[in-house]
Amino acid sequence: MASERYGVRVPMKAWRPGRGDMRVHVQSIFSLAVAFVCLAASLLVVTNLSAVRDRWSRAGRATVYLRDGVADPEVNELVRALERTPGVKRVRHVTSVEARREIVVDESDAALASLPPAAFPASLELGFTDDIGETDLQSIALKLRALPAVETVETYQRWTERLSSLLGGGVSASAALAVVVMCAVFSVISSTMRLLLSRRRTEVEVLKLVGATNEFVRRPFVIEGAMQGAAGAAAAIALLGGLFFLVRGRFDHELANLLGLSPSFLPWTVSLGLVLLGGALGATTALVSLRRMAAI
């Protein structure tokens, strides 16, 4: 009966921390935010690398570079043959003059502007249907490479493979950072719980004297640990989001031209998952650290 009478009022003091406790909470959340922002940044890189890889793997296009001196009738015949090829959706002939115009956007660049049109090879830009398979695409490229008018064929498969390799490295880095974050959460929240427990020693002793169980005494501390972990993760996402949209606002056009799509922020499911992960790690760490203390 005594624990029921006092147990409601005394532990609720954990929800009304003093200035000293508030300073401890802020410092703890800041430390956790620094750790979580590293993990969130790595997940942001992995998310955009995955999007770029998928974009290029589904691009459904290839570039056929023509040899110098190929006559127009021969090029036109090749274009008509490709347009009749199953799986080919469009064929665009890019002359040397057009290729130079597309690449040399800024005439103030003396190095590029001084190059004559002959320095830019003519090509055929091929677009494929969505249902074309990788085997069919490689078969078409192999047949085109055998033609006398064709210098080489670029299917961008190497770029996809490189992006897949980078993506694998990004996933490994994210996993390593996740371990680092878990260690940081354990260290920060364990230290915070020890400090808070020492400041609230009198309250804990009173609760124990009136018959409160260890689980009942631990509950406010576990809730505080969960709130600190979730707040740290949320602060990291907010900070990273602000920096991301600031950078994207200035370089969105350049990045879109370079990557073929605009960079995107973390999906809301990933952001929510980070916050829930922070809360779960905070609660678990607080519970484990408190159980290791002989007092409760």
Side-chain angles (χ1 to χ4, degrees), residues 15-35:
W15 298 94
R16 301 191 300 270
R19 290 185 178 180
D21 287 356
M22 185 60 68
R23 185 163 52 250
V24 171
H25 288 309
V26 172
Q27 292 174 349
S28 176
I29 291 173
F30 177 78
S31 301
L32 294 175
V34 172

Side-chain angles (χ1 to χ4, degrees), residues 185-199:
V185 170
F186 184 83
S187 175
V188 171
I189 294 186
S190 295
S191 301
T192 303
M193 290 301 108
R194 284 194 295 268
L195 181 58
L196 292 177
L197 182 60
S198 65
R199 292 188 175 188

Side-chain angles (χ1 to χ4, degrees), residues 4-292:
E4 292 179 358
R5 186 176 63 221
Y6 294 102
V8 175
R9 296 180 180 178
V10 179
M12 288 304 292
K13 281 187 154 184
W15 298 94
R16 301 191 300 270
R19 290 185 178 180
D21 287 356
M22 185 60 68
R23 185 163 52 250
V24 171
H25 288 309
V26 172
Q27 292 174 349
S28 176
I29 291 173
F30 177 78
S31 301
L32 294 175
V34 172
F36 272 104
V37 78
C38 298
L39 177 59
S42 67
L43 292 177
L44 180 62
V45 172
V46 168
T47 299
N48 284 277
L49 278 178
S50 179
V52 172
R53 184 198 60 178
D54 294 341
R55 166 69 176 81
W56 281 93
S57 64
R58 297 194 307 267
R61 67 189 186 94
T63 302
V64 181
Y65 292 99
L66 303 175
R67 294 184 184 275
D68 296 335
V70 178
D72 289 340
E74 189 175 359
V75 175
N76 294 333
E77 182 180 354
L78 179 57
V79 169
R80 289 192 295 269
L82 286 171
E83 290 175 342
R84 295 191 298 268
T85 302
V88 178
K89 183 167 58 178
R90 64 181 181 275
V91 181
R92 174 176 172 247
H93 180 207
V94 181
T95 64
S96 297
V97 176
E98 292 172 340
R100 183 185 183 279
R101 188 184 305 119
E102 291 178 359
I103 295 176
V104 185
V105 179
D106 188 2
E107 292 290 342
S108 62
D109 191 338
L112 286 176
S114 62
L115 295 175
F120 301 87
S123 62
L124 299 177
E125 296 288 341
L126 306 183
F128 299 95
T129 57
D130 295 335
D131 58 349
I132 190 171
E134 186 65 27
T135 303
D136 296 332
L137 180 60
Q138 294 300 326
S139 176
I140 294 174
L142 183 62
K143 293 176 181 178
L144 287 171
R145 291 189 182 100
L147 297 177
V150 176
E151 180 71 28
T152 185
V153 179
E154 178 59 71
T155 60
Y156 306 101
Q157 181 65 27
R158 289 177 298 177
W159 289 103
T160 304
E161 293 174 353
R162 291 177 182 176
L163 286 173
S164 297
S165 177
L166 286 174
L167 184 60
V171 172
S172 300
S174 298
L177 283 173
V179 175
V180 173
V181 168
M182 291 178 64
C183 295
V185 170
F186 184 83
S187 175
V188 171
I189 294 186
S190 295
S191 301
T192 303
M193 290 301 108
R194 284 194 295 268
L195 181 58
L196 292 177
L197 182 60
S198 65
R199 292 188 175 188
R200 301 173 187 172
R201 179 71 61 182
T202 302
E203 297 175 18
V204 172
E205 291 177 352
V206 169
L207 286 172
K208 300 279 285 188
L209 286 174
V210 298
T213 62
N214 288 338
E215 288 73 15
F216 187 83
V217 176
R218 294 184 189 125
R219 194 177 306 156
F221 296 97
V222 173
I223 293 174
E224 284 183 291
M227 293 178 64
Q228 287 178 15
I237 293 172
L239 175 61
L240 184 64
L243 293 174
F244 172 81
F245 289 109
L246 177 64
V247 172
R248 196 182 73 167
R250 295 187 176 183
F251 304 102
D252 188 37
H253 182 69
E254 291 79 1
L255 291 173
N257 291 335
L258 178 63
L259 302 176
L261 76 168
S262 296
S264 59
F265 192 61
L266 292 172
W268 70 269
T269 52
V270 177
S271 300
L272 179 61
L274 280 175
V275 175
L276 294 177
L277 175 63
L281 286 176
T284 303
T285 303
L287 182 61
V288 171
S289 60
L290 289 172
R291 283 183 174 177
R292 294 173 60 183

